[in-house]
Every structure is written in structure tokens, then in C-alpha cells.
Amino acid sequence: MENLILMLTIFVLAIFVGFEIITKVPPMLHTPLMSGSNAISGITLVGALLSAGAQHTTLTAVLGLMAVVFATINVVGGFAVTDRMLRMFKPQQKTPAKRG
Amino acid sequence: MINLAYLGAAVLFILGLKGLAHPRTATRGNRMGALGMLIAVIATLFDRQILSFEWIIAGLIVGALIGLILATRVQMTAMPQMVALLNGFGGAASVLVAGAALLEAIHATVNNQSSPLNSQFLIAAGLSGIIGSVTFWGSLVAFGKLQGIVKDLPLRLTFLPYVNGALLLGALVLCGLLSVNPTTPLYFWLLVACASVLGLFLVTPIGGADMPVVIALLNSYSGLAGAMTGFVLNNSALIITGSLVGASGIILTMIMCRAMNRSLTNVLFGVWVPTEKGLSESEVYGGRVKSSSADEIAMLLETAQRVVIVPGYGMAVSQAQHAVRDLARVMEARGAEVLFAIHPVAGRMPGHMNVLLAEADIEYEKMQEMEMINPSFEQTDVVIVIGANDVVNPLARTDPNSPIAGMPILDVDKARSVVIIKRSLSPGFAGIPNPLFAAENAVMFYADAKQGVQDIVGALKAG
């Protein structure tokens, strides 16, 4: 029970932190925010690794392995595509090239 | 030790998201997040609980390859589909992890080993199964719709909300049954089936232009499913990250709803608030719509000092972002100031237009938010609307009975001249005519976005 309260505390506090941080993200970056936060939510991968590695029964190992594949797609794909998008956002050049 | 690693990962995730507050720091922020993930994964792999590595490594490699291929191949215009798909995979992973953890715990209990099988564990596993399944199937439908594989339903099924309510109730009852019958995994799989159907039914009736809301909401769900899995595994890293993402998705959902002037329930149940009969197309347009050509528009632009471009979904559909960049460069070379006005729900996901413009090398300082640019339309010589409709419809301000009454719009009608590049006068998602098209200061250029912009650029260069 005490453990549950502790976990709930973390849950609620993290939601507040999330609200504070996310409201500071400008609308311009909302697409990378979604793909990036999506990649972070692939942290389920940690749970998947534990399930796949524990090898209690064949069924749990198979479920765990499928979870590893799904979560890894989520993590790698999410971070990579976010990186690709963010690298495209460029500031204005200090000296704009004048062309006739 | 492993918990310290998880704490480090969580801190890196938070710092990473903080980096997204500005384009200058965003790339670094995203890489910090990736580093956090790497730390968490490596720490888990070196944990004693892992007995066999072969399959795990194989799974990691397969997943990483698929992820990398998706991430490098996907077109920027297809980003909403990509995010929907990734959301779905996250949801599926949560369901599978919860299921595997449940089976392990039951296995341990049957063999009289110590097991975490208590009501916290069971309820969390049930909720993880429900939210994860809804996310997975809902995301697949959203992906199919955005990709054009799944068509919008022609009719509104009024009974569907009741069916969905019953499915949700059924899933929750099964979750309750699971918590009092811990060793019956059948309840878990039934609950997953229930929630899967719910996910399909929830998203199927939702129309294309409401997709930004749906994707943001599913984003939030994928986070919440992860957090619930954290409760199953007693893992604080999952709880922290899951709730961060859950909060992020909810905020985006609320922003989208406000920008579309619709409540979340209306979007989810595909309801439009019934309105008094509005003006018909012939009353609004009635021969007052002026059609124009590329040459005429080029002449209009030749003297313009300040030009604002309003991109909409039409620009994404016809991949016109590079042509739009060429237009902006030609105008800038002539000494005009060119800015981009971006409505929060332009496109099929939040921030969609910004990514497309960034892809075409438009500097981010030139992309202006609605609140920032609205007061300056009166000093704007020419506004060019490219494939947008409802977000520039002045009825939102003037007609209190309109379905979009009160929706925040870009006040482009206040500019000196407005050019609308659009294939026809067909209405936008709200299904109402747009008086802007018939306004005194507006001209229509009937063309595909890309072709139309290219023609204007050609005429400008020739003239």
C-alpha cells in the first residue's frame, strides 16, 4: 500500500512537471514534440526487455519479444524522425544573400 | 543501482523536452532524450534479471532497423501518419508487456514462488491493457484514414456512442473481475478484445480534419498506457515518462480543440452542433467571386511591400512547399517582406505546416503564430492563401449562428488584397461557404497549389 502511494505521488507530480514543460513548447515545434515525446513513451521497452529476458514460460518470452520489437520501432523511429525534422529548422542568416 | 540509472534517464527526458522550447536548442534536447533512453536500456540489459540475450538482441536489431527505415524514408507531408503509427506501436508494446508480466506473476503464484500478484498489479495490468489496446487499434484506423486506405463514413451512426460506452463499461468490469480472480488470465485477453473493438469504433467515424485532435489524444493515451505499465512493474521510470507524455498529449488536444472551436466530446462522437440554416453558396458567392490568372497576380505582387502566405492542408497534399519557398525568395529578392501565418490546426497535425516549411528551408523566424500576426494584416499588401479554407473564414467573427462562430481565425480579409489559390469553391471541413472568396479585395486563382504557385513564380520572373 505504501508503495502504491509512493508510485501515485510520482505519477501526479510528473504530470504537473509535464504540464509546466509542455506549455513552454511553441506551436511551431508541436509536430516534433509529438514524435519526440512519443519516442520517450517507448520507455516501455525497459519493461519489454525484462519480460523477454526473464524466460518464465515460452508464451511470456514470445510476448516479451514482440513487445521489444514494437517498443524499439517506437523508440528508434521516434527519435530518428524527430532529429530529422528538427535539423531542418534553420534560423535566418546573419547576412542575407542578395540576389538580383 | 538500476533505479539510479532510471532516475538519470528521467532527468534527461525532462531536460530534453525542456530543450524543445526553442528551435535552437531542440535538436540537442531530442538527443538528450535519446541518450536517456540508451542509458535506461543498457542498465536494464545489465540487470541480473535477464537470462537470455540472443532473442532480445535480435528483437532490438529488428525493431531498430524498421524504425530507422521508417524514419528516413517517410515524407514530411506524411508525418501525421508516421506519428499515428508510432503511437500505435507504443500502445501495443504496453499491452504485451502487461500481458507478459501478468502471465509471469500467475506462473510464479501457481509454483508457490513470491509473486507481485496483488490488486494494484492486477488493476494496473487491466488498465494498461485497455488504454494500450484502444491506442493501438485507434492509431491504426487513424493511420489508415490519413493514408487514404480507410474512407470516412458517409453516414453518422447515432447509436455508436452507446455501443462505445457499453464496450468501455465491459472492459472496466472485466478489469474488476481480473482483480478478484487473479489466476484467470482469460479476463485480461477478453478485456483486450473489448478495448480493441472500442479503439476501432472510436476513431472510425472521425473525419479527416479532426485528425489533429485524434492524434494528439492517442499520443496522450500511449503515454498513459506506459505509465500504467509502470504501475504493473513497479517501475518509476515508466511512470514518470508515461505521465510526461500523457500530459503533453492532453495539452495538445486542448489546444487543438480550442483552435477548432469544438469540444472534445463533439470531436470524439463526430457531432456538429446543429445550427440555424446558414447562407447558401449562391447567396454568399452570387456572381461576386473574381477569378484571376498567374499574370494578374504577378502584377499585384510586383508592387507589394509586405506579403503574408497562409498555408493549409492543400499545400501538403500537393507537396507545394518548395514552390512556395521559391515564391518567397523571388519576392524577397524584389525587396518585399514575406511572412508565413500559421493557424494552430492547419494541416493534419499540430505544427504540420511548420515542418513542411522548414523542410523547404524557410527560416523559422518567418513562421508566425496566429496571435502574433493577426494585428498586422491591415498593414499587409497581399495575402496568399494556399489550400486553406475554414481557418480564414470571416463568418467565425461575423455570424453567431455559424458552426464555426467564435473559432479563432486568421484575419486575412483585413489585408489590402487577398489571393486564394484553391482548386474550386468547394467548402472546407465545416461544410459552409466562405464569404472571403467573394470579398471586394479578394481574387480566386483556381489551381492545384503547387502548379498555381509555380505559375505565379514564372510570371514574376518573366515580368
Side-chain angles (χ1 to χ4, degrees):
Chain A
M1 194 61 202
E2 260 174 49
N3 189 34
L4 176 63
I5 301 288
L6 180 67
M7 291 289 165
L8 277 177
T9 312
I10 295 176
F11 180 63
V12 173
L13 290 181
I15 287 181
F16 275 99
V17 173
F19 268 90
E20 283 304 311
I21 301 175
I22 305 302
T23 42
K24 297 206 171 57
V25 178
M28 185 201 297
L29 293 178
H30 275 170
T31 294
L33 167 67
M34 285 177 86
S35 58
S37 63
N38 187 248
I40 291 175
S41 78
I43 184 79
T44 325
L45 177 57
V46 166
L49 291 174
L50 293 174
S51 292
Q55 304 262 322
H56 282 297
T57 64
T58 321
L59 181 57
T60 58
V62 170
L63 290 177
L65 182 64
M66 283 166 64
V68 169
V69 175
F70 275 128
T72 313
I73 297 176
N74 192 354
V75 167
V76 175
F79 279 123
V81 85
T82 309
D83 193 63
R84 194 178 142 206
M85 273 191 275
L86 289 174
R87 272 187 287 126
M88 298 185 315
F89 280 86
K90 289 180 203 78
Q92 211 149 356
Q93 302 285 314
K94 285 286 180 290
T95 48
K98 280 260 158 87
R99 287 187 294 126
Chain B
M1 186 56 204
I2 186 155
N3 282 319
L4 273 180
Y6 288 157
L7 178 64
V11 169
L12 282 170
F13 292 154
I14 293 174
L15 290 175
L17 286 175
K18 237 174 114 84
L20 282 178
H22 196 280
R24 209 176 43 238
T25 53
T27 314
R28 196 177 58 210
N30 183 54
R31 286 175 186 170
M32 280 167 92
L35 178 68
M37 188 64 73
L38 192 66
I39 292 175
V41 168
I42 290 177
T44 311
L45 284 178
F46 281 106
D47 193 52
R48 283 185 309 270
Q49 284 169 287
I50 298 210
L51 301 175
S52 112
F53 279 98
E54 300 89 349
W55 287 105
I56 290 184
I57 302 294
L60 282 172
I61 291 174
V62 169
L65 278 180
I66 298 176
L68 273 179
I69 291 171
L70 284 177
T72 43
R73 292 279 170 84
V74 66
Q75 289 206 314
M76 286 301 145
T77 42
M79 206 44 76
Q81 291 93 302
M82 172 81 178
V83 171
L85 203 59
L86 291 176
N87 275 338
F89 288 159
S94 292
V95 179
L96 292 168
V97 171
L102 180 69
L103 291 179
E104 272 165 35
I106 292 173
H107 182 77
T109 310
V110 173
N111 292 323
N112 291 320
Q113 293 160 353
S114 73
S115 115
L117 215 57
N118 55 29
S119 44
Q120 175 204 325
F121 178 93
L122 291 161
I123 292 174
L127 290 177
S128 179
I130 294 175
I131 305 174
S133 307
V134 169
T135 312
F136 178 65
W137 290 104
S139 298
L140 282 193
V141 176
F143 170 81
K145 288 201 163 203
L146 290 162
Q147 192 73 26
I149 304 168
V150 181
K151 296 273 171 290
D152 283 346
L153 282 186
L155 66 164
R156 299 245 150 88
L157 302 171
T158 43
F159 61 88
L160 205 54
Y162 301 102
V163 177
N164 289 343
L167 282 168
L168 178 63
L169 195 68
L172 288 174
V173 167
L174 284 164
C175 182
L177 283 172
L178 179 71
S179 71
V180 288
N181 300 292
T183 50
T184 322
L186 178 66
Y187 288 124
F188 180 79
W189 301 117
L190 283 177
L191 157 166
V192 166
C194 233
S196 300
V197 179
L198 176 62
L200 287 175
F201 282 4
L202 264 181
V203 182
T204 305
I206 298 177
D210 275 341
M211 276 303 145
V213 180
V214 176
I215 296 179
L217 195 66
L218 290 170
N219 193 224
S220 172
Y221 285 174
S222 77
L224 287 179
M228 289 306 139
T229 314
F231 280 101
V232 175
L233 302 173
N234 256 322
N235 185 319
S236 53
L238 259 72
I239 296 180
I240 295 175
T241 353
S243 32
L244 282 178
V245 177
S248 147
I250 285 290
I251 292 175
L252 291 175
T253 308
M254 293 189 312
I255 294 175
M256 292 304 109
C257 282
R258 210 176 305 139
M260 295 205 303
N261 197 33
R262 305 189 58 190
S263 75
L264 187 56
T265 33
N266 281 356
V267 172
L268 287 183
F269 295 125
V271 188
W272 281 101
V273 182
T275 48
E276 317 237 334
K277 205 167 84 48
L279 294 166
S280 72
E281 283 197 18
S282 57
E283 281 173 296
V284 173
Y285 298 142
R288 289 190 298 276
V289 178
K290 296 182 288 291
S291 170
S292 187
S293 70
D295 289 326
E296 281 174 33
I297 293 166
M299 272 161 63
L300 192 65
L301 286 170
E302 266 169 13
T303 52
Q305 284 306 301
R306 186 185 151 94
V307 178
V308 173
I309 297 176
V310 178
Y313 186 53
M315 182 182 87
V317 173
S318 86
Q319 303 265 9
Q321 64 270 32
H322 299 283
V324 169
R325 184 257 335 268
D326 292 340
L327 176 61
R329 293 286 186 262
V330 171
M331 288 307 297
E332 280 167 350
R334 289 173 165 272
E337 183 192 15
V338 182
L339 290 173
F340 294 83
I342 301 183
H343 192 275
V345 292
R348 284 293 185 265
M349 77 183 292
H352 192 186
M353 291 299 126
N354 301 86
V355 170
L356 293 183
L357 293 175
E359 185 194 13
D361 292 327
I362 302 289
E363 297 85 355
Y364 58 73
E365 289 93 342
K366 292 179 188 157
M367 308 175 196
Q368 305 268 309
E369 289 169 35
M370 178 172 63
E371 290 83 5
M372 254 156 45
I373 200 150
N374 256 349
S376 69
F377 276 116
E378 279 164 40
Q379 290 93 50
T380 302
D381 296 310
V382 182
V383 167
I384 307 175
V385 179
I386 303 172
N389 189 349
D390 291 333
V391 298
V392 292
N393 192 334
L395 281 181
R397 284 198 317 262
T398 54
D399 180 4
N401 294 323
S402 154
I404 60 168
M407 169 172 142
I409 59 157
L410 290 161
D411 298 327
V412 298
D413 52 318
K414 293 183 175 163
R416 271 176 217 119
S417 315
V418 185
V419 174
I420 299 124
I421 305 178
K422 204 173 172 310
R423 273 174 298 193
S424 67
L425 281 176
S426 63
F429 187 60
I432 51 170
N434 190 341
L436 173 73
F437 301 162
E440 197 68 21
N441 56 345
V443 291
M444 298 294 297
F445 181 25
Y446 297 110
D448 164 75
K450 187 176 180 181
Q451 193 57 49
V453 174
Q454 281 172 345
D455 289 350
I456 297 173
V457 173
L460 267 172
K461 280 181 174 163

